[in-house]
């Protein structure tokens, strides 16, 4: 009993499951050295090359391969930093884990195609931009670059451009000043862009709102020329120079005055009435109605009325003139007068932009544009029906199903198509240097249509499709 008490430890902490029994000798402890499960076991020889202090392994860097020096120990890494073992000399094409192959973007393709391709790529897989020379050594002024980008996007969106084209232009401006990790976002009325230098830096975001849109192709051409110069690596445009050129574009007035646009609306309506079978009297009546409607729309716009009511008011004068000719028992086609007068009000540019946004995947913007076009059509129909209702009450004998068209008159119809194209170019504020080519393009389109439909007796749908294709081809050329 006494011997057992002598072998009892002084405390419970002295007893351990790893304490060797009394009859087993404990192994000698190494001399103040620590071991690891990754240490080389005793008795295993490690192959050496060169001096005794150099060891190699299967994970070592082969001889002749240049490896960038590791970052300093106190530096903070980033997800966008170049890997330590990366060497541009030995870099090759790869396929990311998501399965998207590496996209090679040639420099000889237009900048619009390159920007669209990169916008569809994830941020981490976009190629780095070339070293820009448009700012000082401290780097670009990020807030000013984003502000310039938003101002350029605002002019494009207000001019009626599609969302994809606006995003491509904004992305091109950012990359031209070295901001590669940026994300532009364009909706129907909102422009937004965000830039994040790295995962450890705070992101910078900015936005701008566009509530009114007015097509101006002269201004659009100037803005695209500015973006083209910024995207050209051989053209060095500083940030201050870009701001100066953008200010000149914004200050420049439209190439055509308000009364010129009103006259163009009348010419467009008269030419359209001739194409649907009208004569000289129909031409004059439709032109007067369209000009009165345009002036009435300008008056409503000056009062701050929404565009829906502007279209409603602009549709009333052509319908009123058609009803008046019917009450006067004039030998004219009142339906041709009304159709020609309303032709200038059709929102064709907005409809094309909406369809383009839908085809390119901007479904929210496309839905908003098409809904806007629908409201415009409803406004036009409401204005016409209001006038026709009062005309019926006054005893006008209206024939809603009166057929349009008549005998083909090649010379008059070709002249009307030339006038119609000229009027469209003026209404869209086209550059004066290109108005003549646009006018001739419209005449060629009607010649193709007339040759196929009237002479070749081909379906009007097929004839229209071919003529439209010719218009698009000549427009690109």
């Amino acid at each position: 009993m006494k011997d057992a008490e002598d072998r009892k430890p002084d405390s419970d902490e002295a007893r351990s499951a790893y304490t060797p029994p009394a009859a087993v000798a404990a192994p000698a402890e190494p001399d103040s050295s620590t071991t690891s499960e990754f240490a080389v076991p005793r008795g295993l020889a490690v192959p050496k090359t060169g001096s005794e202090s150099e060891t190699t392994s299967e994970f070592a860097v082969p001889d002749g391969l240049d490896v960038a020096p590791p970052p300093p120990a106190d530096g903070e890494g980033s997800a966008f930093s170049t890997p330590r073992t990366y060497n541009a000399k030995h870099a090759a094409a790869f396929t990311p884990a998501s399965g998207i192959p590496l996209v090679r973007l040639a420099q000889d393709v237009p900048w619009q195609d390159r920007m669209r391709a990169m916008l569809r790529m994830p941020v981490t897989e976009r190629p780095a931009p070339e070293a820009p020379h448009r700012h000082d050594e401290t780097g670009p002024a990020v807030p000013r670059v984003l502000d310039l980008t938003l101002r350029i996007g605002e002019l494009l969106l207000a001019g009626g451009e599609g969302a994809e084209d606006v995003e491509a232009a904004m992305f091109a401006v950012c990359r031209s000043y070295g901001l590669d990790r940026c994300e532009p976002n364009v909706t129907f009325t909102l422009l937004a862009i965000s830039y994040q230098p790295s995962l450890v830096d705070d992101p910078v975001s900015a936005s701008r709102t566009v509530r009114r849109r007015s097509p101006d192709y002269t201004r659009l051409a100037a803005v695209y020329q500015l973006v083209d110069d910024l995207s050209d690596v051989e053209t060095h445009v500083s940030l201050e120079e870009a701001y100066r050129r953008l200010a000149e574009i914004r200050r420049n007035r439209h190439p055509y005055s308000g009364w010129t646009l009103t006259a163009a609306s009348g010419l467009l309506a008269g030419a359209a009435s001739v194409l649907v079978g009208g004569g000289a009297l129909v031409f004059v009546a439709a032109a007067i109605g369209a000009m009165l409607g345009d002036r009435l729309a300008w008056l409503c716009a000056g009062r701050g009325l929404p565009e829906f009511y502007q279209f409603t008011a602009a549709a009333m004068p052509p319908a009123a003139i058609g009803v008046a000719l019917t009450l006067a028992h004039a030998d004219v086609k009142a339906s041709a007068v009304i159709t020609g007068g309303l032709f200038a009000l059709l929102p064709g540019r907005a409809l094309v932009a909406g369809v383009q946004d839908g085809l390119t995947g901007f479904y929210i913007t496309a839905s908003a544009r098409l809904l806007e076009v629908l409201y415009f059509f409803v406004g036009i129909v409401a204005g016409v029906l209001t006038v026709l209702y009062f005309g019926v009450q006054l005893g006008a004998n209206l024939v809603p199903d009166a057929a349009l068209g008549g005998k083909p008159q090649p010379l008059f119809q070709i002249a009307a198509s030339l006038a119609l194209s000229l009027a469209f170019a003026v209404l869209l504020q086209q550059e004066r240097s290109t108005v003549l080519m646009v006018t001739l393009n419209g005449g060629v389109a009607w010649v193709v249509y007339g040759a196929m439909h009237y002479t070749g007796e081909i379906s009007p749908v097929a004839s229209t499709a071919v003529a439209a294709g010719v218009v698009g081809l000549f427009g690109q050329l």
Side-chain angles (χ1 to χ4, degrees):
M1 183 66 178
K2 184 176 181 180
D3 295 338
E5 291 178 358
D6 294 339
R7 293 194 300 270
K8 183 178 181 182
D10 298 335
S11 65
D12 293 339
E13 296 179 357
R15 184 180 299 276
S16 172
Y18 299 96
T19 303
V24 179
E29 296 182 358
D31 299 335
S32 66
S33 62
T34 59
T35 61
S36 168
E37 60 182 278
F38 298 102
V40 180
R42 292 183 180 179
L44 179 61
V46 180
K48 298 181 179 180
T49 59
S51 60
E52 294 294 332
S53 59
E54 296 179 353
T55 62
T56 60
S57 70
E58 57 180 309
F59 300 102
V61 180
D63 295 336
L65 179 61
D66 298 331
V67 180
D74 55 347
E76 187 172 6
S78 170
F80 300 102
S81 302
T82 304
R84 180 175 59 85
T85 58
Y86 173 81
N87 190 343
K89 181 179 179 181
H90 298 84
F94 68 97
T95 300
S98 58
I100 303 176
L102 179 66
V103 179
R104 296 187 180 276
L105 301 173
Q107 295 295 330
D108 55 347
V109 300
W111 62 265
Q112 293 93 337
D113 297 336
R114 290 188 284 114
M115 295 303 110
R116 293 191 189 100
M118 281 187 285
L119 279 173
R120 297 187 183 101
M121 300 169 59
V123 179
T124 56
E125 298 174 12
R126 293 173 183 169
E130 297 182 3
H133 302 284
R134 301 181 176 91
H135 51 74
D136 53 15
E137 298 179 355
T138 60
V142 175
R144 296 196 66 194
V145 173
L146 297 184
D147 178 71
L148 175 67
T149 303
L150 287 175
R151 291 179 183 272
I152 290 177
E154 177 188 13
L155 289 180
L156 294 177
L157 187 61
E161 281 296 283
E164 185 184 38
D165 296 332
V166 177
E167 282 196 359
M170 295 172 64
F171 190 66
V173 174
C174 288
R175 285 184 64 87
S176 64
Y177 289 102
L179 306 184
D180 56 332
R181 290 180 293 274
C182 60
E183 284 293 341
N185 185 20
V186 177
T187 57
F188 183 56
T189 58
L190 181 64
L191 294 165
I193 189 169
S194 61
Y195 170 71
Q196 187 171 10
S198 65
L199 293 179
V200 297
D201 295 324
D202 295 332
V204 182
S205 300
S207 62
R208 208 171 185 90
T209 303
V210 178
R211 292 186 174 88
R212 295 293 181 185
R213 285 162 298 279
S214 177
D216 188 342
Y217 281 14
T218 300
R219 181 173 292 179
L220 287 179
V223 175
Y224 271 120
Q225 184 61 46
L226 174 59
V227 179
D228 187 68
D229 293 339
L230 292 176
S231 303
D232 190 0
V233 295
E234 298 180 357
T235 304
H236 304 297
V237 182
S238 63
L239 194 60
E240 289 73 18
E241 177 67 16
Y243 263 106
R244 185 190 64 80
R245 291 179 56 179
L246 185 63
E248 291 180 357
I249 295 173
R250 297 177 66 93
R251 283 197 304 266
N252 288 342
R253 300 180 61 86
H254 300 297
Y256 308 104
S257 63
W259 284 103
T260 303
L261 298 180
T262 301
S265 299
L267 179 61
L268 176 64
S273 64
V274 172
L275 291 179
V276 295
L281 182 59
V282 173
F283 177 92
V284 174
I288 294 176
M291 288 189 291
L292 291 177
D294 184 77
R295 285 289 96 187
L296 191 58
W298 277 84
L299 179 62
C300 295
R303 298 291 181 179
L305 293 178
E307 290 181 314
F308 175 85
Y309 299 104
Q310 297 176 26
F311 275 81
T312 302
M316 290 182 175
I321 292 180
V323 171
L325 291 176
T326 303
L327 291 175
H329 302 285
D331 188 16
V332 296
K333 291 184 177 181
S335 57
V337 174
I338 298 175
T339 302
L342 300 180
F343 202 84
L345 300 178
L346 300 180
R349 183 65 185 91
L351 180 61
V352 172
V355 174
Q356 179 183 358
D357 289 339
L359 295 176
T360 53
F362 294 84
Y363 300 114
I364 296 178
T365 306
S367 301
R369 288 184 187 272
L370 295 178
L371 184 61
E372 180 188 43
V373 171
L374 177 61
Y375 270 98
F376 290 162
F377 277 118
V378 171
I380 294 173
V381 172
V384 173
L385 290 181
T386 301
V387 174
L388 295 183
Y389 173 77
F390 286 104
V392 171
Q393 298 300 320
L394 294 176
N397 185 17
L398 302 176
V399 184
D401 56 348
L404 296 176
K407 295 189 306 180
Q409 300 174 341
L411 295 180
F412 288 103
Q413 290 177 338
I414 292 176
S417 64
L418 292 173
L420 189 146
S421 301
L422 173 63
F424 256 125
V426 174
L427 288 175
L428 294 176
Q429 302 286 352
Q430 183 70 34
E431 290 179 294
R432 296 182 179 180
S433 59
T434 59
V435 168
L436 178 60
M437 298 301 298
V438 171
T439 303
L440 295 178
N441 195 10
V444 170
W446 186 262
V447 169
V448 173
Y449 172 81
M452 295 182 63
H453 178 55
Y454 294 113
T455 304
E457 298 182 355
I458 301 176
S459 168
V461 177
S463 303
T464 304
V466 174
V470 172
V471 169
L473 176 61
F474 284 0
Q476 292 292 330
L477 295 178

